[in-house]
Amino acid sequence: MSECRFERDVIAGRWTDTLRAHVAQCADCEATMLVAPQMKELASIDVREHPLPDPQVVWLKAQLLRNTIAMERASRPLKVFQAISYAAVAAAWTAVLAWKWAAIQAMLHSLTPATLLQNAGQAASLSVTFFLAIFLLSSVTIGLALHTMLAED
Amino acid sequence: MFAEALALPASLDREQVSGGRRAPQKPMNEAQFEAFYRKTAGSLWSYIYRMTGDPATADDLLQKTFLGFLRANPTFESDEHARRYAFRAATNLALDHFRESKRDRLRLDSLTPRSATVADRGELRHDVSRLFGELKPRERALLWLAHVEEAGHDEIGEALGVKSASVRVLLFRARKRLAELLSKAGIGPEVTR
């Protein structure tokens, strides 16, 4: 069902004898005729109380929006990398602590003045590798924290 | 040099005819957008206002329409094509607005001009505005596009996301409903023929 070819003439009010004869037979055009004057009236009402925004402002806003979106898109891989780093560091800490948990507990228990004096001459039960691992992990954690803070700034 | 001298219209200018072959169309630049905005924004605002019944919402949705338009940065065959795109985007935003707020019925009263500075304060005009607001948003959109924008059925269908063939039926129903409301309110059709 396509548009009646007389519809636009009825809307525009271009009345001719042919159009009048047509409207008498066409339900669509009759309905159009019933509302066309009121629609015209409605269209003539100027309801805008203030001017529209300047196109240059809209253009500028769009550019800013586009830049923000581009920046968000560009920083997305960085954010993913950051999340992976947090998870890796947390997992490394868990692994290191689990690996030497018994030794760490023993060391913590021995951190009283009396036991410290008593065991002063004894060799430490935790290896150099462990302390190196702790040092390395601490450095990475601090680095990550600093990077996060600076990136937020 | 010749193209400059001939001052091709913006829509053709974009196609950049070179060496007998058409170069790929480019998205609008600032000057083209400004020209398009000045030509379209007024009628688009009125359309959104008549759909939503609220000037503030019309302002907001108009900006969203153009921001979305620029963000998508599409290429158009002509200004008419761009205009259709803008009306379709505005329709979608207005319908989304109704879905979100579901306050359509509450806003009916606000369809009449609010400010005393608005020239239109005639009783008849006031009634027509109010009655138009009693229609469903889609009916308002259909009637506005057909009668004010003088859009064809295919364009209306495109804007409202319905088949062009259905527009005839929907438009007929919308017209009948408005005619009924007008008749009930005693505003008979003043047919000049």
Side-chain angles (χ1 to χ4, degrees):
Chain A
M1 278 214 315
S2 63
E3 187 176 351
C4 176
R5 66 192 175 97
F6 289 103
E7 194 181 298
R8 290 180 193 222
D9 289 333
V10 178
I11 289 172
R14 289 190 285 265
W15 292 102
T16 59
D17 289 341
T18 320
L19 188 62
R20 278 184 208 106
H22 169 78
V23 170
Q25 295 168 342
C26 175
D28 278 340
C29 287
E30 194 197 355
T32 308
M33 179 193 74
L34 290 175
V35 297
Q38 276 74 24
M39 286 305 298
K40 212 173 198 171
E41 175 116 17
L42 200 63
S44 71
I45 305 171
D46 185 13
V47 280
R48 216 165 48 230
E49 292 166 16
H50 52 84
L52 292 167
D54 193 275
Q56 285 173 343
V57 174
V58 178
W59 176 269
L60 197 71
K61 271 187 185 176
Q63 299 311 310
L64 289 172
L65 197 70
R66 204 180 289 167
N67 289 346
T68 312
I69 291 164
M71 269 173 68
E72 271 173 17
R73 199 172 293 160
S75 66
R76 209 173 291 153
L78 200 72
K79 279 182 181 163
V80 171
F81 177 75
Q82 226 171 21
I84 292 169
S85 306
Y86 290 140
V89 165
W93 273 113
T94 313
V96 165
L97 294 175
W99 171 41
K100 291 283 183 184
W101 185 241
I104 292 166
Q105 269 188 323
M107 194 187 83
L108 289 173
H109 284 303
S110 68
L111 287 178
T112 56
T115 44
L116 277 174
L117 282 172
Q118 230 173 27
N119 302 330
Q122 285 178 15
S125 59
L126 289 168
S127 64
V128 177
T129 323
F130 173 77
F131 284 108
L132 268 176
I134 292 288
F135 176 74
L136 200 71
L137 266 177
S138 303
S139 308
V140 172
T141 309
I142 291 165
L144 202 61
L146 279 172
H147 177 267
T148 308
M149 283 190 286
L150 289 172
E152 274 172 10
D153 282 347
Chain B
M1 209 172 117
F2 282 115
E4 277 172 40
L6 287 168
L8 291 168
S11 55
L12 280 175
D13 198 16
R14 252 180 285 139
E15 287 171 356
Q16 293 182 338
V17 183
S18 59
R21 257 184 2 173
R22 273 185 177 179
Q25 290 166 4
K26 286 180 182 173
M28 278 186 186
N29 61 32
E30 192 175 353
Q32 285 166 337
F33 171 73
E34 199 174 323
F36 174 70
Y37 181 93
R38 291 200 191 282
K39 212 159 64 178
T40 322
S43 55
L44 202 55
W45 188 92
S46 300
Y47 171 62
I48 302 171
Y49 170 74
R50 286 300 170 191
M51 265 188 91
T52 60
D54 181 35
T57 309
D59 286 346
D60 185 38
L61 295 186
L62 181 81
Q63 279 221 34
K64 279 186 183 168
T65 302
F66 280 108
L67 288 177
F69 179 91
L70 287 171
R71 196 183 140 189
N73 217 7
T75 53
F76 297 106
E77 288 162 13
S78 62
D79 282 356
E80 182 53 35
H81 186 203
R83 201 175 116 77
R84 283 183 182 209
Y85 180 96
F87 269 86
R88 189 173 64 229
T91 307
N92 289 339
L93 283 170
L95 293 176
D96 282 350
H97 166 77
F98 284 119
R99 273 184 219 114
E100 280 166 20
S101 64
K102 292 188 178 175
R103 288 184 303 221
D104 182 31
R105 293 283 109 191
L106 298 174
R107 294 198 168 189
L108 292 175
D109 292 340
S110 68
L111 276 163
T112 49
R114 283 175 177 177
S115 163
T117 60
V118 174
D120 164 58
R121 275 292 174 192
E123 214 169 284
L124 182 70
R125 284 177 157 197
H126 178 96
D127 284 346
V128 173
S129 285
R130 187 177 51 79
L131 295 171
F132 187 73
E134 282 184 29
L135 299 171
K136 290 175 187 161
R138 197 164 74 166
E139 290 174 332
R140 280 180 242 159
L142 277 159
L143 290 172
W144 192 266
L145 288 172
H147 286 262
V148 182
E149 295 303 323
E150 295 183 11
H153 287 197
D154 54 338
E155 194 182 337
I156 298 172
E158 206 179 295
L160 294 176
V162 293
K163 283 180 190 165
S164 165
S166 313
V167 172
R168 188 171 183 170
V169 180
L170 294 170
L171 204 46
F172 177 75
R173 285 186 197 148
R175 281 171 176 149
K176 278 283 180 195
R177 194 156 134 64
L178 180 61
E180 235 175 70
L181 291 169
L182 289 166
S183 163
K184 272 184 196 167
I187 309 169
E190 294 163 28
V191 186
T192 330
R193 53 170 174 162

